[in-house]
Amino acid sequence: MPIHFSEKDKTFKLDTNNSSYIIAVYEENYLLNLYYGAFIPDSFVPNRAMRTPNASFSPANPVIGEHGFSPDTAPIEYGTSGAGDFRIAALEIENSNGDSVTDIRYTGYKIYDGKKEIPKMPSSYVNSDSEAQTLEIYAEDSVTGAQVTLYYTVFQKYDVITRRVRVTNGSMKKMRLERAMSLCLDLPDMDYDLISLYGCHAKERNIERRPLAHGIQGVESRRGSSSHNQNPFIALAKSGADEDRGEVYGFNLVYSGNFSALAECDFNCTTRVVMGIEPQTFSWELKSGEYFDTPEAVMVFTAQGIGEMSRIFHRFYNNNLIRGRYKTEKRPLLINSWEAAYFDFDADKLVAFAKEAKKLGVELLVMDDGWFGKRNDDTSSLGDWFVNEEKLPGGLSKLIERVNAEGLKFGIWYEPEMISPDSELFRAHPDWCVRVEGREPMLGRNQYVIDMSREDVRNNIWEQMYNVLSQNNIEYLKWDFNRNITDAGSALLPPERKKEFFHRFVLGTYDLMNRLVTTFPNILFENCSGGGGRFDPAMLCYSPQIWASDNTDPIERLYIQFGTSMCYPASAMGAHVSASNRTGYDTKCNVARWGTFGLELDPTKLTENEADIIRRQIKEYHRNYELVNRGDLYRLVSPFENPYRAAWQLVLPDKSRTMVTLVTMREECHQHLIVRLRGLEPNAYYKNEQTGEVLSGALLMNAGLTLTNTAGYTGESVAIYFERV
Ligand code: GLA
């Protein structure tokens, strides 16, 4: 069994195939973390509870006495504020006396097969109860009556442990949550590099790696969304760990709003990691009996390097996070109108796109922004989700009939969380935008954010969307979010609940998304936020794919896709071929075929030669769909480390087939290039599909592929396939 309670040691042991996690119930019912790392058979690790105290400056528990144990230095399982632990707290509650001293102690536990859902929030799931086991640990603050449940679900086969927390007000008085993190982990050393993903619009998820130092470091978002700027992902890699070797911890928050992912190293050279909702922009009032659920955090440990950490996340997300029809069913290959037409389209233009795209092998046409209200540019109409009959006479059904007649499915664009000041909806409901009293709200792309925390607002948007979606043959929906949240407030929230706004907004968005996916289970959803501004695991619970970036330049995309692949699978990575001109179409296609693959260009403007390349690449896409969607990824040469080339490899899980792609970003003076493959069967033989050459897996992985003079010039690329013989 993956979870075991040892009466003798008073420890909980959580095992995956390759990792172990041990929690101890210590004197006075303190919960301590004894271990998280590579699998060990023992259920106890000696001498972990006590670390050198800071002389008389590390306070002692009055019952235990001053014998060396101090909450200041002990590996506390879920750190709280004000009761002797001076590191970043995971939990801080202002009680009815107005103080924030919080101190929780163990009271009991429960172990069961499977996993519960988090009410109103997306999270990972089990396909059957035998896939995972859950431990609930109960703890309580006997002074304030705060009750805490720590949830741990162990996905043994996947080497994943998910965590979350519920805080219940067990007292008769009000209390206020000031912070409630999803995860807190105390590691006994600080010999790690922190890996995080920073970026901005059109340059998302750059990989950044820095050694941990004493003090607090980490990444956060206060933008109301997970953001382009930092992703809710961090990893701690042992100094020297690389793609193939070394110990790595990966942490990813299943949440789309403000987050905090921090590491603090103390004077004992230990590390505390916390991850959860960002506390500066959060507080939550709990009346007697009420509870608060944190979002879920996903933890991965591997001793096999950063590449293996990524593959663990990919497998887990493909199997236990992404859901619905298109989790496994082949998704239609799409063409999107945005870069081809922007706002300048009518029905004839779209039908012409469909006709030409069909000849290329495309299966679905997405009509992007500009089909509703009076929208001809970005200054109006968000919130008016009815068709612009001037642009599309006869309405959507007529257009869709024509597109369907060309043999293509039809998809549509929405930005449900926004409202334009110039819209019928805003004129009717000026109090529906996100704002605070006495301030003119800020604009972003000429638009306001609509108050998704309000049920009446959500119902209005839902009814408008329902009318369109239920009356038309729409088979794909792109959900966009093109600005961040300022002036955070809702007309309906009383002053003492104003700081609940951000989280309530996120819950509102989840509510609307949930209504959509449950009412229209056959629609393929794609998430988007000005490209990849909300590329997080929570969004993957609603949409199996996310538009990775508005930047479709294939060289820039290499960085974006390498970064995104840190924890997100290729199946989720929206990647299109556009008319951008830094490389030819072969390279654009080779890069986009690491992701969902699609087109974002005017197909009527392609030359015969370009159309031929795309047709051939689309055939390759179909042939290798499983390989990309379910394959194991190996990042062979990273553009973040090599200014000249990038290379990656996808391998079917049974190792029978692989695709190796190499892109030259800049020419090197010497062209002698060897790429060593990974993940193959050493004793098996593989046939190069293009040349017919048969080579052993061992040769490909040790001697490597010699690609001298192949794709050696700037912007060139090559994709090579090997099949086991
Ligand atoms: C965002 C998206 C684009 C496109 C536009 C439409 O920028 O990322 O793909 O949908 O909005 O306004």
Side-chain angles (χ1 to χ4, degrees), residues 265-286:
C265 301
D266 72 354
F267 66 92
N268 269 330
C269 299
T270 71
T271 305
R272 168 171 294 176
V273 179
V274 295
M275 184 177 242
I277 294 178
E278 196 280 318
Q280 184 185 313
T281 50
F282 168 83
S283 93
W284 198 273
E285 189 176 273
L286 286 179

Side-chain angles (χ1 to χ4, degrees), residues 84-304:
D85 182 348
F86 295 100
R87 292 160 292 178
I88 347 168
L91 181 69
E92 179 176 345
I93 305 174
E94 188 190 287
N95 59 46
S96 56
N97 296 330
D99 71 72
S100 296
V101 177
T102 309
D103 191 359
I104 57 164
R105 306 296 174 82
Y106 171 78
T107 57
Y109 75 97
K110 186 159 96 186
I111 295 171
Y112 50 91
D113 288 345
K115 180 176 194 280
K116 291 182 191 161
E117 285 183 3
I118 312 176
K120 299 184 185 154
M121 251 194 296
S123 59
S124 64
Y125 62 93
V126 289
N127 295 284
S128 73
D129 276 357
S130 60
E131 209 176 16
Q133 235 184 15
T134 298
L135 165 68
E136 293 183 10
I137 295 184
Y138 309 118
E140 193 174 288
D141 187 330
S142 60
V143 174
T144 64
Q147 296 164 347
V148 177
T149 307
L150 308 175
Y151 294 81
Y152 303 80
T153 300
V154 181
F155 291 84
Q156 186 171 9
K157 190 177 111 196
Y158 287 97
D159 289 323
V160 164
I161 300 176
T162 64
R163 294 177 61 172
R164 68 177 178 101
V165 176
R166 172 174 288 182
V167 183
T168 307
N169 182 351
S171 78
M172 298 311 288
K173 298 176 182 159
K174 275 190 208 165
M175 53 178 68
R176 179 183 295 282
L177 271 181
E178 297 294 354
R179 62 165 71 212
M181 290 293 165
S182 303
L183 170 158
C184 176
L185 176 68
D186 276 7
L187 296 169
D189 54 352
M190 59 176 277
D191 179 24
Y192 300 101
D193 294 335
L194 173 69
I195 299 175
S196 57
L197 302 171
Y198 80 97
C200 62
H201 175 246
K203 290 211 189 289
E204 295 90 340
R205 290 173 294 284
N206 294 280
I207 300 171
E208 192 159 48
R209 181 171 178 163
R210 53 192 140 144
L212 287 184
H214 289 94
I216 298 176
Q217 50 246 287
V219 296
E220 300 188 314
S221 168
R222 278 177 283 278
R223 294 175 166 269
S225 77
S226 44
S227 89
H228 300 86
N229 307 73
Q230 293 289 352
N231 196 266
F233 161 84
I234 56 169
L236 293 185
K238 265 272 169 231
S239 314
D242 62 17
E243 284 292 303
D244 306 304
R245 276 165 295 267
E247 295 184 0
V248 188
Y249 298 88
F251 308 96
N252 203 188
L253 190 66
V254 189
Y255 191 58
S256 312
N258 295 340
F259 73 88
S260 214
L262 305 175
E264 178 170 11
C265 301
D266 72 354
F267 66 92
N268 269 330
C269 299
T270 71
T271 305
R272 168 171 294 176
V273 179
V274 295
M275 184 177 242
I277 294 178
E278 196 280 318
Q280 184 185 313
T281 50
F282 168 83
S283 93
W284 198 273
E285 189 176 273
L286 286 179
K287 296 212 179 86
S288 174
E290 286 181 343
Y291 61 81
F292 179 86
D293 285 315
T294 73
E296 175 176 73
V298 179
M299 297 197 305
V300 167
F301 170 83
T302 176
Q304 314 295 325

Side-chain angles (χ1 to χ4, degrees), residues 545-589:
Q545 57 195 55
I546 303 177
W547 182 224
S549 179
D550 277 346
N551 195 331
T552 50
D553 173 278
I555 303 297
E556 291 302 325
R557 270 283 176 151
L558 294 172
Y559 298 88
I560 294 163
Q561 295 180 184
F562 265 79
T564 303
S565 77
M566 268 292 134
C567 55
Y568 305 107
S571 70
M573 202 154 65
H576 294 170
V577 175
S578 76
S580 66
N581 55 14
R582 255 225 277 182
T583 73
Y585 274 89
D586 255 318
T587 295
K588 293 186 217 181
C589 291

Side-chain angles (χ1 to χ4, degrees), residues 376-439:
N376 290 310
D377 55 33
D378 63 16
T379 58
S380 83
S381 303
L382 295 168
D384 296 345
W385 300 111
F386 44 84
V387 72
N388 179 346
E389 293 255 1
E390 271 169 39
K391 235 179 196 172
L392 304 171
L396 282 177
S397 47
K398 181 136 178 251
L399 168 66
I400 297 173
E401 265 168 37
R402 290 179 66 193
V403 170
N404 289 164
E406 296 296 340
L408 262 65
K409 299 175 194 291
F410 184 84
I412 201 165
W413 179 95
Y414 272 99
E415 198 177 356
E417 297 148 286
M418 299 291 161
I419 185 165
S420 302
D422 179 9
S423 65
E424 288 182 21
L425 191 70
F426 185 74
R427 283 184 282 276
H429 301 284
D431 61 324
W432 279 11
C433 85
V434 173
R435 60 180 306 168
V436 295
E437 245 177 76
R439 280 182 208 281

Side-chain angles (χ1 to χ4, degrees), residues 201 336 338 343 368-369 375 413 415 445 478 480 482 528-531 547 549-550 600:
H201 175 246
N336 181 297
W338 181 243
F343 295 101
D368 208 277
D369 194 356
R375 190 147 164 110
W413 179 95
E415 198 177 356
R445 208 193 189 203
K478 177 172 167 189
D480 215 332
N482 276 316
C528 174
S529 168
W547 182 224
S549 179
D550 277 346
E600 182 122 359

